[in-house]
Coordinates of all heavy atoms in Angstrom, one line a residue:
S1 N 110.5 102.2 98.3 CA 111.9 101.9 97.8 C 112.9 101.8 99.0 O 114.0 101.2 98.8 CB 112.4 102.8 96.8 OG 112.4 104.1 97.3
V2 N 112.6 102.4 100.2 CA 113.5 102.5 101.3 C 113.0 101.8 102.5 O 113.7 101.6 103.5 CB 114.0 103.9 101.6 CG1 114.4 104.6 100.3 CG2 112.8 104.7 102.2
K3 N 111.7 101.4 102.5 CA 111.1 100.8 103.7 C 111.9 99.5 104.1 O 112.3 98.7 103.3 CB 109.7 100.5 103.5 CG 108.9 100.0 104.7 CD 107.4 99.9 104.4 CE 106.8 101.3 104.0 NZ 105.3 101.2 103.8
G4 N 112.2 99.5 105.4 CA 113.0 98.4 106.0 C 114.5 98.7 106.0 O 115.2 97.9 106.6
R5 N 114.9 99.7 105.1 CA 116.3 100.0 105.2 C 116.7 101.4 105.8 O 117.8 101.5 106.4 CB 116.8 100.0 103.7 CG 116.7 98.7 103.0 CD 117.3 98.7 101.7 NE 116.7 99.6 100.8 CZ 117.4 100.7 100.2 NH1 118.7 100.8 100.4 NH2 116.8 101.5 99.4
F6 N 115.8 102.3 105.6 CA 116.0 103.6 106.2 C 115.1 103.9 107.4 O 114.0 103.3 107.5 CB 115.6 104.7 105.2 CG 116.6 104.7 104.0 CD1 117.5 103.8 103.7 CD2 116.5 105.8 103.1 CE1 118.4 103.9 102.6 CE2 117.3 105.9 102.0 CZ 118.3 105.0 101.7
T7 N 115.6 104.7 108.3 CA 114.9 105.1 109.5 C 114.9 106.5 109.7 O 116.0 107.1 109.8 CB 115.3 104.4 110.8 OG1 115.3 103.0 110.7 CG2 114.5 104.8 112.0
I8 N 113.8 107.3 109.8 CA 113.8 108.7 110.0 C 113.5 108.9 111.5 O 112.7 108.2 112.0 CB 112.8 109.5 109.2 CG1 112.9 110.9 109.4 CG2 111.4 109.0 109.4 CD1 112.1 111.7 108.3
S9 N 114.2 109.9 112.2 CA 113.9 110.2 113.6 C 114.2 111.7 113.8 O 114.7 112.3 112.9 CB 114.7 109.3 114.5 OG 116.1 109.5 114.3
R10 N 113.8 112.1 115.0 CA 114.0 113.6 115.2 C 114.3 113.7 116.7 O 113.9 113.0 117.6 CB 112.8 114.4 114.8 CG 111.6 114.1 115.6 CD 110.5 114.9 115.0 NE 110.5 116.3 115.1 CZ 109.9 117.2 114.4 NH1 109.0 116.8 113.5 NH2 110.0 118.5 114.5
D11 N 115.1 114.8 117.0 CA 115.4 115.2 118.4 C 115.0 116.7 118.5 O 115.8 117.5 118.0 CB 116.9 115.0 118.7 CG 117.3 115.2 120.1 OD1 116.5 115.9 120.8 OD2 118.3 114.7 120.6
N12 N 113.8 116.8 119.1 CA 113.3 118.2 119.1 C 114.2 119.1 120.1 O 114.3 120.3 119.8 CB 111.9 118.2 119.6 CG 110.9 117.7 118.6 OD1 111.2 117.6 117.4 ND2 109.7 117.5 118.9
A13 N 114.8 118.5 121.0 CA 115.7 119.4 121.9 C 116.9 119.9 121.1 O 117.5 121.0 121.4 CB 116.2 118.6 123.1
K14 N 117.3 119.1 120.1 CA 118.5 119.6 119.2 C 118.0 120.1 117.9 O 118.9 120.5 117.1 CB 119.4 118.3 119.0 CG 120.0 117.8 120.3 CD 121.0 116.7 119.9 CE 121.7 116.1 121.2 NZ 122.5 114.9 120.8
A15 N 116.8 120.2 117.6 CA 116.2 120.7 116.4 C 116.9 120.0 115.2 O 117.3 120.7 114.2 CB 116.4 122.3 116.3
T16 N 117.1 118.7 115.3 CA 117.7 117.9 114.4 C 116.9 116.8 113.8 O 116.2 116.2 114.7 CB 119.1 117.4 114.8 OG1 119.9 118.5 115.3 CG2 119.8 116.7 113.9
T17 N 116.8 116.5 112.6 CA 116.3 115.4 112.0 C 117.3 114.4 111.5 O 118.3 114.9 110.8 CB 115.3 115.8 110.9 OG1 114.4 116.9 111.3 CG2 114.4 114.7 110.4
Y18 N 117.1 113.2 111.6 CA 118.1 112.2 111.2 C 117.5 111.2 110.1 O 116.3 111.0 110.1 CB 118.6 111.4 112.4 CG 119.2 112.1 113.5 CD1 118.5 112.4 114.5 CD2 120.5 112.6 113.4 CE1 119.0 113.2 115.6 CE2 121.0 113.3 114.5 CZ 120.3 113.7 115.6 OH 120.8 114.4 116.6
L19 N 118.4 110.7 109.3 CA 118.0 109.6 108.4 C 119.1 108.6 108.5 O 120.2 108.8 107.9 CB 117.8 110.2 107.0 CG 117.2 109.1 106.0 CD1 115.8 108.7 106.3 CD2 117.3 109.6 104.5
Q20 N 118.8 107.5 109.1 CA 119.7 106.4 109.1 C 119.5 105.5 107.9 O 118.5 105.0 107.7 CB 119.5 105.5 110.4 CG 120.4 104.3 110.5 CD 121.9 104.6 110.7 OE1 122.3 105.5 111.4 NE2 122.7 104.0 109.8
M21 N 120.5 105.4 107.1 CA 120.4 104.6 105.8 C 121.3 103.4 105.9 O 122.5 103.4 106.0 CB 120.8 105.5 104.7 CG 120.1 106.8 104.6 SD 120.4 107.6 103.1 CE 122.1 108.1 103.5
N22 N 120.7 102.2 105.9 CA 121.3 100.9 105.8 C 121.1 100.2 104.7 O 120.3 100.5 103.8 CB 120.8 100.1 107.1 CG 121.2 100.7 108.4 OD1 122.1 101.4 108.7 ND2 120.2 100.4 109.4
S23 N 122.0 99.2 104.4 CA 121.9 98.3 103.2 C 121.7 99.1 101.9 O 120.9 99.0 101.1 CB 120.7 97.4 103.3 OG 120.8 96.6 104.4
L24 N 122.6 100.2 101.8 CA 122.6 101.2 100.7 C 122.8 100.4 99.3 O 123.6 99.5 99.1 CB 123.5 102.2 100.9 CG 123.1 103.3 101.9 CD1 124.3 104.1 102.4 CD2 122.0 104.2 101.3
K25 N 122.0 100.9 98.4 CA 122.1 100.4 97.0 C 122.5 101.5 96.0 O 122.3 102.7 96.4 CB 120.7 99.9 96.6 CG 120.1 98.8 97.5 CD 118.8 98.6 97.1 CE 118.1 97.5 97.9 NZ 116.7 97.2 97.5
P26 N 123.2 101.2 94.9 CA 123.5 102.2 94.0 C 122.3 103.1 93.5 O 122.6 104.3 93.4 CB 123.9 101.4 92.7 CG 124.5 100.1 93.3 CD 123.6 99.8 94.4
E27 N 121.1 102.6 93.5 CA 120.0 103.5 93.2 C 119.6 104.5 94.3 O 118.8 105.4 94.0 CB 118.7 102.6 92.8 CG 118.4 101.6 93.8 CD 119.0 100.2 93.4 OE1 120.1 100.2 93.1 OE2 118.2 99.2 93.6
D28 N 120.3 104.4 95.5 CA 120.1 105.4 96.6 C 120.9 106.6 96.3 O 120.8 107.7 96.9 CB 120.4 104.8 97.9 CG 119.5 103.7 98.3 OD1 118.3 103.9 98.1 OD2 120.0 102.7 98.9
T29 N 121.8 106.6 95.3 CA 122.7 107.8 95.0 C 121.9 108.9 94.6 O 121.0 108.9 93.7 CB 123.6 107.3 93.8 OG1 124.5 106.3 94.3 CG2 124.5 108.5 93.5
A30 N 122.0 110.0 95.3 CA 121.2 111.2 95.1 C 121.8 112.3 96.0 O 122.5 112.1 96.9 CB 119.7 111.0 95.4
V31 N 121.2 113.6 95.9 CA 121.4 114.6 96.7 C 120.2 114.6 97.7 O 119.1 114.5 97.2 CB 121.5 116.0 96.1 CG1 121.5 117.0 97.2 CG2 122.7 116.0 95.1
Y32 N 120.4 114.5 99.0 CA 119.4 114.3 100.0 C 119.1 115.7 100.6 O 120.0 116.3 101.0 CB 119.7 113.3 101.1 CG 119.6 111.9 100.6 CD1 120.4 111.3 99.5 CD2 118.6 111.1 101.0 CE1 120.4 110.1 99.1 CE2 118.5 109.8 100.6 CZ 119.3 109.3 99.6 OH 119.3 108.0 99.1
Y33 N 117.9 116.0 100.7 CA 117.4 117.3 101.3 C 116.4 117.1 102.4 O 115.6 116.1 102.3 CB 116.7 118.2 100.3 CG 117.4 118.4 99.0 CD1 117.4 117.5 97.9 CD2 118.2 119.6 98.8 CE1 118.0 117.9 96.7 CE2 118.8 119.9 97.7 CZ 118.9 119.0 96.6 OH 119.6 119.2 95.5
C34 N 116.4 117.9 103.4 CA 115.4 117.9 104.4 C 114.4 119.0 104.2 O 114.7 120.1 103.5 CB 115.9 117.9 105.8 SG 116.8 119.3 106.2
K35 N 113.2 118.7 104.7 CA 112.1 119.8 104.5 C 111.3 120.0 105.8 O 111.0 118.9 106.4 CB 111.2 119.4 103.4 CG 109.9 120.2 103.1 CD 109.1 119.7 102.0 CE 107.8 120.5 101.7 NZ 106.9 120.4 102.9
A36 N 111.0 121.1 106.0 CA 110.2 121.4 107.3 C 108.7 121.5 106.8 O 108.4 122.2 105.8 CB 110.6 122.6 107.9
G37 N 107.8 120.9 107.5 CA 106.4 121.0 107.3 C 105.9 119.9 106.2 O 106.6 119.6 105.3
L38 N 104.8 119.4 106.4 CA 104.1 118.6 105.4 C 103.0 119.2 104.7 O 103.0 119.2 103.5 CB 103.7 117.2 106.1 CG 104.8 116.4 106.9 CD1 104.1 115.2 107.7 CD2 105.8 116.0 105.8
T39 N 102.1 119.8 105.4 CA 101.0 120.6 104.7 C 101.2 122.0 104.8 O 100.6 122.8 104.1 CB 99.6 120.2 105.4 OG1 99.7 120.5 106.8 CG2 99.4 118.7 105.3
Q40 N 102.1 122.4 105.6 CA 102.4 123.9 105.8 C 103.9 124.0 106.1 O 104.4 123.3 107.0 CB 101.5 124.5 106.9 CG 101.8 126.1 107.1 CD 100.9 126.6 108.3 OE1 99.9 126.0 108.5 NE2 101.2 127.7 108.7
V41 N 104.6 125.0 105.4 CA 106.0 125.2 105.6 C 106.1 126.4 106.5 O 105.3 127.3 106.5 CB 106.7 125.2 104.3 CG1 106.6 123.9 103.6 CG2 106.3 126.5 103.6
P42 N 107.3 126.5 107.3 CA 107.6 127.8 107.9 C 107.7 129.0 106.9 O 108.2 128.8 105.8 CB 108.9 127.5 108.7 CG 109.0 126.1 108.7 CD 108.4 125.6 107.5
R43 N 107.3 130.1 107.4 CA 107.4 131.3 106.5 C 108.9 131.6 106.2 O 109.7 131.5 107.0 CB 106.8 132.5 107.2 CG 106.8 133.8 106.5 CD 106.1 134.9 107.2 NE 106.8 135.2 108.4 CZ 106.5 136.1 109.3 NH1 105.4 136.8 109.1 NH2 107.2 136.3 110.5
G44 N 109.2 131.6 104.8 CA 110.5 131.9 104.4 C 111.3 130.6 104.1 O 112.4 130.8 103.7

């Protein structure tokens, strides 16, 4: 649903993850959350 419009990136030196969202649609309306880890999350 977002391919071609959104770009995820990260800057490890800044410990920051970004989500560039272009060509936004009403159906993109939501609360956006970031998550650490895919198969394993940090403790706590």
